[in-house]
Amino acid sequence: MPYPNYLANMLFGILAGAICGIRSTDVHTGMRAYKKSMLDAFPYNPNGNALPVELQVGPAALGFKCYEFFIDYKPRIGESKLEEMEWRSLDG
């Protein structure tokens, strides 16, 4: 993982703990598993902008438990399928 991404993940994890009371090392990860009972109990918007964060912070606020299991990180094989974003000025 690039160092700036690592630092950003750490910062977001600290903020999630300070603001929402949850402990996490990566609140933006999409690699999660959920119990069906939690998904049935928590009203979430699948089209929302922050779905991974919402599905961690929201259930924790309702008293559901969240556990992290660490996996070894290995460099991606092949090329990313994500397109590079083109940044434009809001002025035009």
Coordinates of all heavy atoms in Angstrom, one line a residue:
M1 N 0.8 -1.2 0.0 CA 0.0 0.0 0.0 C 0.9 1.2 0.0 O 1.8 1.3 0.8 CB -0.9 0.0 1.2 CG -1.7 1.2 1.4 SD -2.7 1.2 2.9 CE -3.6 -0.2 2.8
P2 N 0.6 2.2 -0.8 CA 1.4 3.4 -0.8 C 1.3 4.1 0.5 O 0.3 4.1 1.2 CB 0.8 4.3 -1.9 CG 0.0 3.3 -2.8 CD -0.4 2.2 -1.9
Y3 N 2.4 4.7 0.9 CA 2.5 5.3 2.2 C 1.5 6.4 2.5 O 0.9 6.4 3.6 CB 4.0 5.9 2.4 CG 4.2 6.4 3.9 CD1 4.3 5.4 4.9 CD2 4.3 7.7 4.2 CE1 4.5 5.8 6.2 CE2 4.5 8.1 5.5 CZ 4.6 7.1 6.5 OH 4.8 7.5 7.8
P4 N 1.1 7.3 1.6 CA 0.0 8.2 1.8 C -1.3 7.6 2.1 O -2.1 8.0 3.0 CB 0.0 9.1 0.5 CG 1.3 9.0 -0.1 CD 1.8 7.6 0.3
N5 N -1.6 6.5 1.4 CA -2.8 5.7 1.7 C -2.8 5.1 3.1 O -3.8 5.1 3.8 CB -3.0 4.6 0.7 CG -3.3 5.2 -0.7 OD1 -2.8 6.2 -1.1 ND2 -4.0 4.4 -1.5
Y6 N -1.6 4.6 3.5 CA -1.5 4.0 4.8 C -1.7 5.1 5.9 O -2.5 4.8 6.8 CB -0.1 3.4 4.9 CG 0.3 2.9 6.3 CD1 -0.2 1.7 6.7 CD2 1.0 3.7 7.2 CE1 0.1 1.2 8.0 CE2 1.3 3.2 8.5 CZ 0.8 2.0 8.9 OH 1.1 1.5 10.1
L7 N -1.2 6.3 5.7 CA -1.4 7.3 6.7 C -2.8 7.8 6.7 O -3.4 8.0 7.8 CB -0.5 8.5 6.3 CG 1.0 8.4 6.6 CD1 1.8 9.6 6.2 CD2 1.2 8.1 8.1
A8 N -3.5 7.9 5.5 CA -4.9 8.3 5.5 C -5.7 7.2 6.2 O -6.6 7.6 7.0 CB -5.3 8.4 4.0
N9 N -5.5 5.9 6.0 CA -6.2 4.9 6.7 C -6.1 5.0 8.2 O -7.0 4.9 8.9 CB -5.8 3.5 6.2 CG -6.5 3.1 4.9 OD1 -7.4 3.7 4.5 ND2 -5.9 2.1 4.3
M10 N -4.9 5.3 8.6 CA -4.6 5.4 10.0 C -5.4 6.6 10.6 O -6.0 6.5 11.6 CB -3.1 5.6 10.3 CG -2.8 5.6 11.8 SD -1.0 6.0 12.1 CE -0.2 4.7 11.1
L11 N -5.4 7.7 9.9 CA -6.1 8.9 10.3 C -7.6 8.7 10.4 O -8.2 9.0 11.4 CB -5.8 10.1 9.4 CG -6.5 11.4 9.7 CD1 -6.2 11.9 11.1 CD2 -6.3 12.4 8.6
F12 N -8.1 8.1 9.4 CA -9.6 7.8 9.4 C -10.0 6.8 10.5 O -11.0 7.0 11.1 CB -10.0 7.2 8.0 CG -10.0 8.2 6.9 CD1 -9.5 7.9 5.7 CD2 -10.5 9.5 7.1 CE1 -9.4 8.8 4.6 CE2 -10.4 10.4 6.0 CZ -9.9 10.1 4.8
G13 N -9.1 5.9 10.8 CA -9.4 5.0 11.9 C -9.4 5.7 13.2 O -10.2 5.4 14.1
I14 N -8.4 6.6 13.4 CA -8.4 7.4 14.6 C -9.6 8.3 14.8 O -10.2 8.4 15.8 CB -7.1 8.2 14.7 CG1 -5.9 7.3 14.9 CG2 -7.1 9.3 15.8 CD1 -4.5 8.0 14.6
L15 N -10.0 8.9 13.7 CA -11.2 9.8 13.7 C -12.5 8.9 14.0 O -13.4 9.4 14.7 CB -11.4 10.5 12.3 CG -10.4 11.6 12.1 CD1 -10.5 12.1 10.7 CD2 -10.6 12.7 13.1
A16 N -12.6 7.7 13.4 CA -13.7 6.9 13.6 C -13.8 6.5 15.1 O -14.9 6.5 15.7 CB -13.7 5.6 12.8
G17 N -12.7 6.3 15.7 CA -12.6 6.0 17.2 C -13.0 7.2 18.0 O -13.8 7.1 18.9
A18 N -12.5 8.4 17.6 CA -12.8 9.6 18.4 C -14.2 10.1 18.3 O -14.9 10.5 19.2 CB -11.8 10.7 18.0
I19 N -14.7 10.0 17.0 CA -16.1 10.5 16.8 C -17.2 9.5 17.0 O -18.2 9.8 17.6 CB -16.2 11.0 15.3 CG1 -15.2 12.2 15.1 CG2 -17.6 11.4 15.0 CD1 -15.0 12.6 13.7
C20 N -16.9 8.3 16.6 CA -18.0 7.2 16.7 C -17.8 6.2 17.7 O -18.7 5.3 17.9 CB -18.1 6.6 15.3 SG -18.4 7.8 14.0
G21 N -16.6 6.2 18.3 CA -16.4 5.2 19.4 C -16.1 3.8 18.9 O -16.2 2.8 19.6
I22 N -15.7 3.6 17.6 CA -15.3 2.3 17.1 C -13.8 2.2 16.9 O -13.2 3.2 16.6 CB -16.1 2.0 15.8 CG1 -15.7 2.9 14.7 CG2 -17.6 1.9 16.0 CD1 -16.1 2.5 13.3
R23 N -13.3 1.0 17.0 CA -11.9 0.8 16.7 C -11.7 0.1 15.4 O -12.2 -1.0 15.3 CB -11.2 0.1 17.9 CG -11.2 0.8 19.2 CD -10.7 0.0 20.3 NE -9.3 -0.4 20.0 CZ -8.6 -1.1 20.8 NH1 -9.0 -1.4 22.0 NH2 -7.4 -1.5 20.4
S24 N -11.0 0.7 14.5 CA -10.8 0.1 13.2 C -9.5 0.6 12.6 O -9.1 1.8 12.8 CB -11.9 0.5 12.3 OG -11.7 -0.1 11.0
T25 N -8.8 -0.2 11.9 CA -7.6 0.2 11.2 C -7.9 0.6 9.7 O -7.1 1.2 9.1 CB -6.6 -1.0 11.2 OG1 -7.1 -2.1 10.5 CG2 -6.1 -1.3 12.6
D26 N -9.1 0.3 9.2 CA -9.4 0.6 7.8 C -11.0 0.7 7.7 O -11.6 -0.3 7.4 CB -8.9 -0.4 6.9 CG -9.0 0.0 5.4 OD1 -9.6 1.0 5.1 OD2 -8.5 -0.7 4.6
V27 N -11.5 1.9 7.9 CA -13.0 2.0 7.8 C -13.5 2.1 6.4 O -14.7 2.0 6.2 CB -13.4 3.3 8.6 CG1 -13.2 3.2 10.0 CG2 -12.8 4.6 8.0
H28 N -12.6 2.2 5.4 CA -13.0 2.2 4.0 C -12.9 0.9 3.3 O -13.2 0.8 2.1 CB -12.2 3.2 3.2 CG -12.5 4.6 3.6 ND1 -11.8 5.4 4.5 CD2 -13.6 5.4 3.3 CE1 -12.4 6.5 4.6 NE2 -13.4 6.6 3.9
T29 N -12.5 -0.2 4.0 CA -12.4 -1.5 3.3 C -13.8 -2.0 2.9 O -14.7 -1.8 3.6 CB -11.7 -2.5 4.2 OG1 -11.5 -3.7 3.4 CG2 -12.4 -2.8 5.4
G30 N -13.8 -2.6 1.8 CA -15.0 -3.3 1.4 C -15.0 -4.8 1.7 O -15.9 -5.5 1.3
M31 N -13.9 -5.2 2.3 CA -13.8 -6.7 2.6 C -14.4 -6.9 3.9 O -13.7 -6.9 5.0 CB -12.3 -7.1 2.5 CG -11.7 -7.0 1.1 SD -10.0 -7.5 1.0 CE -10.2 -9.3 1.4
R32 N -15.7 -7.2 3.9 CA -16.4 -7.4 5.2 C -17.4 -8.6 5.0 O -17.8 -8.9 4.0 CB -17.2 -6.2 5.6 CG -16.3 -5.0 5.9 CD -17.0 -4.1 6.8 NE -16.1 -2.9 7.1 CZ -16.3 -1.7 6.8 NH1 -17.5 -1.4 6.2 NH2 -15.5 -0.8 7.0
A33 N -17.7 -9.1 6.2 CA -18.8 -10.1 6.2 C -19.8 -9.7 7.3 O -19.4 -9.1 8.3 CB -18.2 -11.5 6.6
Y34 N -21.1 -9.9 7.0 CA -22.1 -9.5 8.0 C -23.1 -10.6 8.3 O -23.3 -11.4 7.4 CB -22.9 -8.3 7.3 CG -22.1 -7.1 6.9 CD1 -21.7 -7.0 5.6 CD2 -21.8 -6.2 7.9 CE1 -20.9 -5.9 5.3 CE2 -21.1 -5.1 7.5 CZ -20.6 -4.9 6.2 OH -19.9 -3.8 5.8
K35 N -23.6 -10.5 9.5 CA -24.7 -11.5 9.8 C -26.0 -10.9 9.1 O -26.2 -9.7 9.1 CB -24.9 -11.5 11.3 CG -23.9 -12.3 12.0 CD -24.3 -12.4 13.5 CE -23.3 -13.3 14.2 NZ -23.7 -13.5 15.6
K36 N -26.8 -11.8 8.7 CA -28.1 -11.4 8.0 C -29.0 -10.6 9.0 O -29.6 -9.7 8.6 CB -28.9 -12.6 7.5 CG -30.1 -12.2 6.8 CD -30.8 -13.4 6.1 CE -32.0 -13.1 5.4 NZ -32.8 -12.0 5.8
S37 N -28.9 -11.0 10.3 CA -29.7 -10.3 11.3 C -29.3 -8.8 11.4 O -30.2 -7.9 11.6 CB -29.6 -10.9 12.7 OG -28.2 -10.9 13.1
M38 N -28.0 -8.5 11.2 CA -27.6 -7.1 11.2 C -28.1 -6.4 10.0 O -28.6 -5.3 10.1 CB -26.0 -7.0 11.3 CG -25.5 -5.6 11.5 SD -25.5 -4.5 10.2 CE -24.4 -5.3 9.0
L39 N -27.9 -7.0 8.8 CA -28.4 -6.4 7.6 C -29.9 -6.1 7.6 O -30.4 -5.1 7.1 CB -28.0 -7.2 6.4 CG -26.5 -7.3 6.1 CD1 -26.2 -8.3 5.0 CD2 -26.0 -5.9 5.7
D40 N -30.7 -7.0 8.3 CA -32.1 -6.8 8.4 C -32.4 -5.7 9.4 O -33.4 -5.0 9.2 CB -32.8 -8.1 8.8 CG -32.7 -9.2 7.7 OD1 -32.6 -8.9 6.6 OD2 -32.9 -10.4 8.1
A41 N -31.6 -5.5 10.4 CA -31.9 -4.5 11.4 C -31.4 -3.1 11.1 O -32.0 -2.2 11.7 CB -31.3 -5.0 12.8
F42 N -30.4 -3.0 10.3 CA -29.8 -1.7 10.0 C -30.3 -1.1 8.7 O -30.0 -1.7 7.6 CB -28.3 -1.8 10.0 CG -27.6 -0.5 9.8 CD1 -27.7 0.5 10.8 CD2 -27.0 -0.2 8.6 CE1 -27.1 1.7 10.5 CE2 -26.3 1.0 8.4 CZ -26.4 2.0 9.4
P43 N -31.0 0.0 8.7 CA -31.4 0.6 7.4 C -30.3 1.3 6.8 O -29.8 2.4 7.2 CB -32.5 1.6 7.9 CG -32.1 2.0 9.3 CD -31.4 0.8 9.8
Y44 N -29.8 0.8 5.7 CA -28.7 1.4 4.9 C -29.1 1.8 3.5 O -30.0 1.2 3.0 CB -27.5 0.5 5.0 CG -27.7 -0.8 4.3 CD1 -27.4 -1.0 3.0 CD2 -28.2 -1.9 5.0 CE1 -27.6 -2.2 2.3 CE2 -28.4 -3.1 4.4 CZ -28.1 -3.2 3.0 OH -28.3 -4.4 2.4
N45 N -28.3 2.7 2.9 CA -28.6 3.1 1.6 C -27.5 2.5 0.7 O -26.4 3.0 0.7 CB -28.6 4.6 1.5 CG -28.8 5.1 0.0 OD1 -29.0 4.3 -0.9 ND2 -28.8 6.4 -0.1
P46 N -27.8 1.5 -0.1 CA -26.8 0.9 -1.0 C -26.2 1.8 -2.0 O -25.2 1.5 -2.6 CB -27.5 -0.4 -1.6 CG -28.9 0.0 -1.5 CD -29.1 0.9 -0.3
N47 N -26.9 2.9 -2.3 CA -26.4 3.8 -3.3 C -25.7 5.0 -2.7 O -25.4 6.0 -3.4 CB -27.6 4.3 -4.2 CG -28.3 3.2 -4.9 OD1 -27.6 2.3 -5.5 ND2 -29.6 3.1 -4.9
G48 N -25.5 5.0 -1.4 CA -24.9 6.1 -0.7 C -23.4 6.2 -1.1 O -22.8 5.2 -1.5
N49 N -22.8 7.4 -0.8 CA -21.4 7.6 -1.1 C -20.5 6.9 -0.2 O -19.3 6.6 -0.6 CB -21.1 9.1 -1.1 CG -21.8 9.8 -2.3 OD1 -22.1 9.3 -3.3 ND2 -22.2 11.1 -2.1
A50 N -20.8 6.7 1.0 CA -19.9 6.1 2.0 C -20.4 4.8 2.6 O -20.3 4.5 3.7 CB -19.7 7.1 3.1
L51 N -20.9 3.9 1.7 CA -21.5 2.7 2.1 C -20.5 1.8 3.0 O -21.0 1.4 4.1 CB -22.0 1.9 0.9 CG -22.7 0.5 1.3 CD1 -23.9 0.8 2.1 CD2 -23.0 -0.3 0.0
P52 N -19.3 1.6 2.7 CA -18.4 0.8 3.6 C -18.3 1.4 5.0 O -18.4 0.7 6.0 CB -17.1 0.8 2.9 CG -17.4 1.0 1.4 CD -18.5 2.0 1.4
V53 N -18.2 2.7 5.0 CA -18.1 3.4 6.4 C -19.4 3.3 7.1 O -19.5 3.0 8.3 CB -17.7 4.9 6.2 CG1 -17.6 5.6 7.6 CG2 -16.3 5.0 5.5
E54 N -20.5 3.6 6.4 CA -21.9 3.5 7.0 C -22.2 2.1 7.5 O -22.7 2.0 8.6 CB -22.9 3.9 5.9 CG -24.3 3.8 6.4 CD -25.3 4.1 5.2 OE1 -24.9 4.3 4.1 OE2 -26.5 4.1 5.6
L55 N -21.7 1.1 6.8 CA -22.0 -0.3 7.3 C -21.1 -0.8 8.4 O -21.2 -1.9 8.9 CB -21.9 -1.3 6.1 CG -23.2 -1.3 5.3 CD1 -23.0 -2.2 4.0 CD2 -24.4 -1.8 6.1
Q56 N -20.1 0.1 8.8 CA -19.3 -0.3 10.0 C -19.7 0.6 11.1 O -20.0 0.1 12.2 CB -17.8 -0.1 9.7 CG -17.0 -0.5 10.9 CD -15.5 -0.4 10.6 OE1 -15.1 0.0 9.6 NE2 -14.7 -1.0 11.5
V57 N -19.8 1.9 10.9 CA -20.1 2.8 12.0 C -21.6 2.7 12.5 O -21.8 2.6 13.7 CB -19.9 4.3 11.5 CG1 -20.3 5.3 12.5 CG2 -18.4 4.4 11.2
G58 N -22.5 2.6 11.5 CA -23.9 2.5 11.9 C -24.3 1.3 12.8 O -24.9 1.5 13.9
P59 N -24.0 0.1 12.4 CA -24.3 -1.1 13.2 C -23.5 -1.0 14.6 O -24.1 -1.4 15.6 CB -23.8 -2.2 12.4 CG -23.9 -1.8 11.0 CD -23.5 -0.3 11.0
A60 N -22.3 -0.5 14.6 CA -21.6 -0.4 15.9 C -22.4 0.6 16.8 O -22.4 0.3 18.0 CB -20.2 0.1 15.6
A61 N -22.9 1.6 16.3 CA -23.7 2.5 17.1 C -25.0 1.9 17.6 O -25.5 2.3 18.7 CB -24.1 3.8 16.3
L62 N -25.5 0.8 16.9 CA -26.7 0.1 17.4 C -26.3 -1.0 18.4 O -27.2 -1.7 18.8 CB -27.4 -0.5 16.2 CG -28.1 0.6 15.3 CD1 -28.7 -0.1 14.1 CD2 -29.1 1.4 16.0
G63 N -25.0 -1.2 18.6 CA -24.6 -2.2 19.6 C -24.1 -3.5 19.0 O -23.8 -4.5 19.7
F64 N -24.0 -3.6 17.6 CA -23.5 -4.8 17.0 C -22.0 -4.8 17.1 O -21.3 -3.8 17.2 CB -23.9 -4.8 15.5 CG -25.3 -5.1 15.2 CD1 -26.2 -4.1 15.0 CD2 -25.7 -6.4 15.1 CE1 -27.5 -4.4 14.8 CE2 -27.0 -6.7 14.9 CZ -28.0 -5.7 14.7
K65 N -21.4 -6.0 17.3 CA -20.0 -6.1 17.4 C -19.3 -6.1 16.1 O -19.8 -6.7 15.1 CB -19.6 -7.4 18.2 CG -20.3 -7.5 19.5 CD -19.6 -6.6 20.5 CE -20.3 -6.7 21.9 NZ -20.1 -5.6 22.7
C66 N -18.1 -5.6 16.1 CA -17.3 -5.6 14.9 C -15.9 -6.1 15.2 O -15.3 -5.7 16.2 CB -17.1 -4.1 14.3 SG -16.1 -4.0 12.9
Y67 N -15.4 -7.1 14.4 CA -14.1 -7.7 14.7 C -13.3 -7.5 13.4 O -13.8 -7.6 12.3 CB -14.2 -9.1 15.0 CG -15.0 -9.4 16.3 CD1 -16.4 -9.8 16.2 CD2 -14.5 -9.3 17.5 CE1 -17.1 -10.0 17.3 CE2 -15.2 -9.5 18.6 CZ -16.5 -9.9 18.5 OH -17.3 -10.1 19.7
E68 N -12.0 -7.3 13.6 CA -11.1 -7.3 12.5 C -10.2 -8.5 12.5 O -9.7 -8.9 13.5 CB -10.2 -6.0 12.5 CG -10.9 -4.8 12.2 CD -10.0 -3.6 12.1 OE1 -8.8 -3.7 12.2 OE2 -10.5 -2.5 11.8
F69 N -10.0 -9.1 11.3 CA -9.1 -10.2 11.1 C -8.1 -9.7 10.1 O -8.4 -9.4 8.9 CB -9.8 -11.4 10.6 CG -10.8 -11.9 11.6 CD1 -12.1 -11.5 11.5 CD2 -10.5 -12.8 12.6 CE1 -13.1 -11.9 12.4 CE2 -11.4 -13.3 13.5 CZ -12.7 -12.8 13.4
F70 N -6.8 -9.7 10.4 CA -5.8 -9.2 9.5 C -5.4 -10.3 8.5 O -5.3 -11.4 8.8 CB -4.6 -8.7 10.3 CG -5.0 -7.5 11.2 CD1 -5.3 -7.7 12.5 CD2 -5.0 -6.3 10.6 CE1 -5.6 -6.6 13.3 CE2 -5.4 -5.2 11.4 CZ -5.7 -5.4 12.7
I71 N -5.1 -9.8 7.3 CA -4.7 -10.7 6.2 C -3.3 -10.1 5.7 O -3.1 -8.9 5.9 CB -5.7 -10.8 5.1 CG1 -6.0 -9.4 4.5 CG2 -7.0 -11.5 5.6 CD1 -6.8 -9.5 3.2
D72 N -2.5 -10.9 5.1 CA -1.3 -10.5 4.6 C -1.6 -9.7 3.3 O -2.4 -10.1 2.5 CB -0.4 -11.7 4.2 CG 0.2 -12.3 5.4 OD1 0.3 -11.7 6.5 OD2 0.5 -13.6 5.3
Y73 N -0.9 -8.5 3.2 CA -1.1 -7.7 2.0 C 0.0 -8.1 1.0 O 1.2 -8.2 1.3 CB -0.9 -6.2 2.4 CG -1.0 -5.3 1.1 CD1 -2.1 -5.0 0.5 CD2 0.2 -4.9 0.6 CE1 -2.2 -4.2 -0.6 CE2 0.2 -4.1 -0.5 CZ -1.0 -3.7 -1.1 OH -1.0 -2.9 -2.2
K74 N -0.4 -8.3 -0.2 CA 0.5 -8.6 -1.3 C 0.3 -7.7 -2.5 O -0.9 -7.3 -2.7 CB 0.4 -10.1 -1.7 CG 0.7 -11.1 -0.6 CD 0.6 -12.5 -1.1 CE 1.0 -13.4 0.1 NZ 0.8 -14.7 -0.1
P75 N 1.3 -7.3 -3.2 CA 1.1 -6.4 -4.3 C 0.2 -7.0 -5.3 O 0.1 -8.3 -5.5 CB 2.5 -6.3 -4.9 CG 3.4 -6.7 -3.8 CD 2.7 -7.7 -3.0
R76 N -0.6 -6.2 -6.0 CA -1.5 -6.6 -7.0 C -0.8 -7.2 -8.2 O 0.2 -6.8 -8.6 CB -2.3 -5.4 -7.5 CG -3.3 -5.7 -8.6 CD -3.9 -4.4 -9.2 NE -4.6 -3.7 -8.2 CZ -5.9 -3.8 -7.9 NH1 -6.6 -4.7 -8.5 NH2 -6.5 -3.1 -6.9
I77 N -1.4 -8.3 -8.7 CA -0.9 -8.9 -9.9 C -1.7 -8.4 -11.1 O -2.9 -8.5 -11.0 CB -1.0 -10.5 -9.8 CG1 -0.1 -11.0 -8.7 CG2 -0.6 -11.1 -11.1 CD1 -0.3 -12.5 -8.4
G78 N -1.0 -7.9 -12.1 CA -1.8 -7.3 -13.2 C -2.0 -5.9 -13.0 O -1.5 -5.2 -12.1
E79 N -2.9 -5.3 -13.8 CA -3.1 -3.9 -13.8 C -4.5 -3.6 -13.1 O -5.4 -4.4 -13.1 CB -3.1 -3.3 -15.2 CG -1.8 -3.4 -15.8 CD -1.8 -2.6 -17.2 OE1 -2.5 -1.7 -17.3 OE2 -1.0 -3.1 -18.0
S80 N -4.5 -2.4 -12.4 CA -5.8 -2.0 -11.8 C -6.9 -1.8 -12.8 O -6.6 -1.3 -13.9 CB -5.5 -0.8 -11.0 OG -6.8 -0.3 -10.4
K81 N -8.1 -2.1 -12.5 CA -9.2 -1.9 -13.3 C -9.8 -0.5 -13.1 O -10.7 -0.1 -13.8 CB -10.3 -3.0 -13.2 CG -9.7 -4.3 -13.7 CD -10.8 -5.4 -13.5 CE -10.4 -6.7 -14.0 NZ -9.2 -7.3 -13.5
L82 N -9.3 0.2 -12.0 CA -9.8 1.5 -11.7 C -9.2 2.5 -12.7 O -8.0 2.5 -13.0 CB -9.5 1.9 -10.3 CG -10.2 1.1 -9.2 CD1 -9.6 1.5 -7.9 CD2 -11.7 1.2 -9.3
E83 N -10.0 3.4 -13.2 CA -9.5 4.5 -14.1 C -8.9 5.6 -13.2 O -9.5 5.9 -12.2 CB -10.6 5.0 -15.0 CG -11.1 3.9 -15.9 CD -12.2 4.5 -16.8 OE1 -12.2 5.7 -17.0 OE2 -13.0 3.7 -17.3
E84 N -7.9 6.2 -13.7 CA -7.3 7.4 -13.1 C -8.3 8.5 -13.2 O -8.9 8.8 -14.2 CB -6.0 7.8 -13.7 CG -4.9 6.8 -13.5 CD -4.5 6.8 -12.0 OE1 -4.5 7.8 -11.4 OE2 -4.1 5.7 -11.6
M85 N -8.6 9.2 -12.1 CA -9.5 10.4 -12.1 C -8.8 11.6 -12.7 O -7.6 11.8 -12.4 CB -10.0 10.7 -10.7 CG -10.8 9.6 -10.1 SD -11.4 10.0 -8.4 CE -12.4 11.4 -8.8
E86 N -9.5 12.3 -13.5 CA -9.0 13.5 -14.0 C -9.5 14.7 -13.1 O -10.7 14.9 -13.0 CB -9.5 13.7 -15.5 CG -9.0 15.0 -16.1 CD -9.5 15.1 -17.5 OE1 -9.6 14.1 -18.2 OE2 -9.8 16.3 -17.9
W87 N -8.6 15.4 -12.5 CA -9.0 16.5 -11.6 C -9.1 17.8 -12.4 O -8.3 18.1 -13.2 CB -7.9 16.6 -10.5 CG -7.9 15.5 -9.7 CD1 -7.0 14.4 -9.7 CD2 -8.7 15.1 -8.6 NE1 -7.3 13.5 -8.8 CE2 -8.4 13.9 -8.1 CE3 -9.8 15.8 -8.0 CZ2 -9.0 13.3 -7.0 CZ3 -10.5 15.2 -7.0 CH2 -10.1 13.9 -6.5
R88 N -10.2 18.4 -12.2 CA -10.5 19.7 -12.9 C -10.7 20.8 -11.8 O -11.3 20.5 -10.8 CB -11.7 19.6 -13.8 CG -11.5 18.6 -14.9 CD -12.7 18.6 -15.8 NE -12.6 17.4 -16.6 CZ -13.6 16.7 -17.0 NH1 -14.8 17.1 -16.8 NH2 -13.5 15.6 -17.8
S89 N -10.4 22.0 -12.2 CA -10.7 23.1 -11.3 C -12.2 23.4 -11.4 O -12.9 23.2 -12.4 CB -10.0 24.3 -11.9 OG -10.4 25.5 -11.2
L90 N -12.8 23.8 -10.2 CA -14.2 24.2 -10.2 C -14.5 25.4 -11.0 O -15.6 25.7 -11.3 CB -14.7 24.3 -8.8 CG -14.6 23.1 -7.9 CD1 -15.0 23.4 -6.5 CD2 -15.6 22.0 -8.5
D91 N -13.4 26.2 -11.3 CA -13.6 27.4 -12.0 C -13.7 27.2 -13.5 O -14.0 28.1 -14.3 CB -12.3 28.4 -11.8 CG -12.2 28.8 -10.4 OD1 -13.2 28.8 -9.7 OD2 -11.1 29.0 -9.9
G92 N -13.5 26.0 -14.0 CA -13.6 25.7 -15.4 C -12.4 25.2 -15.9 O -11.9 24.6 -16.7

